[in-house]
Amino acid sequence: MAKYNRVLLKMSGEALKGESDYGIDPITVKNLADEIKEIHDLGVQLALVVGGGNIWRGKTASDLGMGRAQADYMGMLATIMNGLAVQDALESIGVSTRVMSAIHCNEVAEPYILRKAVSHLNKGIVTIFVGGTGSPFFTTDTAAALRAAEIKADAILMAKNGVEGVYNKDPRKFKDAVLFKKLRHSEVLEKELMVMDMTAATLCKDNNINIVVFNMNKAGNIKRAVLKEAIGTFIN
């Protein structure tokens, strides 16, 4: 069975809120955990990065007149909360996990240390990276690209909330938007396609990291991406 050996799954925080306007929906997180267990049971080494937009949004900070650095730190804390929720759901169905944070919070998560992270992955432990990069002015997309490069992941699985892949324009606004099946990293940068922020896209290009962009709202799509089936958009 063709499959990736080690992948990093990147999903937005909004993916955890389900049908709610904000927060963490337990049923949505449980369904996600069940899909991750399927991948784990295939013997795939899985790292995970989750955003924090379901808890804290940059627009909220802007409306409050808050400085960018302070707002970003609050966003990092939101990712820790999301990571702990996913960990609890996975542990409840028998999947061993570790949460590793770029911000020190030793009571609830291990500090991020590359060698420890790789050791966890080699043992088949699902490793959840939280706290972004640990520095403001960087998105969780950049954190995902950085961690994927560090752990030498075969691919980043970019799980989108209700979007099938990468389009030439916003499919929510334009009915004639065209889905790209395959792209080169250079095309993503040249056309400024909003797969991820440009810093993250450049990191992926420089480190030859494949990216699979797909709709995570369709049951089984995470597994299909891991098994290298032709879904969404493949970037190399």
Side-chain angles (χ1 to χ4, degrees):
M1 184 186 298
K3 66 179 187 295
Y4 292 112
N5 177 56
R6 177 181 292 173
V7 295
L8 186 143
L9 176 62
K10 166 62 176 66
M11 65 182 65
S12 66
E14 285 90 342
L16 302 184
K17 67 183 177 65
E19 298 300 319
S20 304
D21 292 331
Y22 61 90
I24 300 170
D25 177 56
I27 295 175
T28 300
V29 176
K30 182 188 180 302
N31 291 340
L32 170 64
D34 289 338
E35 291 208 46
I36 290 174
K37 187 177 189 300
E38 281 192 77
I39 300 168
H40 180 264
D41 290 347
L42 290 173
V44 175
Q45 297 178 13
L46 178 66
L48 184 66
V49 171
V50 188
N54 56 318
I55 297 172
W56 178 253
R57 298 294 302 167
K59 184 179 184 306
T60 306
S62 177
D63 291 344
L64 291 171
M66 185 178 290
R68 171 70 186 274
Q70 187 81 334
D72 282 357
Y73 279 120
M74 291 180 70
M76 291 177 217
L77 295 176
T79 70
I80 295 171
M81 295 174 68
N82 284 338
L84 293 174
V86 173
Q87 178 185 43
D88 185 75
L90 287 169
E91 295 277 356
S92 72
I93 55 175
V95 179
S96 295
T97 67
R98 294 290 187 277
V99 176
M100 305 190 82
S101 177
I103 297 176
H104 286 221
C105 49
N106 295 339
E107 288 76 12
V108 295
E110 296 180 9
Y112 173 73
I113 299 171
L114 174 58
R115 288 180 181 272
K116 277 193 174 182
V118 171
S119 176
H120 293 328
L121 291 166
N122 286 334
K123 292 173 183 174
I125 297 170
V126 174
T127 308
I128 305 168
F129 300 131
V130 299
T133 64
S135 298
F137 301 98
F138 294 99
T139 67
T140 49
D141 283 350
T142 300
L146 176 62
R147 298 293 180 244
E150 288 179 314
I151 66 173
K152 295 181 171 59
D154 299 324
I156 296 176
L157 308 183
M158 292 285 293
K160 294 295 184 179
N161 200 17
V163 178
E164 296 299 323
V166 183
Y167 290 79
N168 64 334
K169 48 189 171 182
D170 191 342
R172 294 188 175 109
K173 296 179 180 177
F174 302 95
K175 291 183 179 180
D176 62 341
V178 178
L179 174 68
F180 294 107
K181 290 292 185 180
K182 288 188 177 180
L183 286 167
R184 304 290 295 177
H185 285 296
S186 56
E187 292 178 283
V188 172
L189 293 168
E190 288 165 9
K191 297 177 182 179
E192 296 186 356
L193 299 172
M194 298 311 293
V195 180
M196 51 176 57
D197 69 73
M198 291 297 102
T199 303
T202 302
L203 263 173
C204 289
K205 178 179 182 295
D206 291 346
N207 291 279
N208 300 312
I209 302 170
N210 294 335
I211 307 170
V212 184
V213 186
F214 64 98
N215 182 4
M216 70 166 289
N217 292 350
K218 289 185 178 178
N221 261 4
I222 299 176
K223 184 177 180 180
R224 292 185 190 101
V226 167
L227 294 178
K228 301 185 178 182
E229 293 185 18
I231 63 168
T233 304
F234 179 75
I235 304 168
N236 68 348

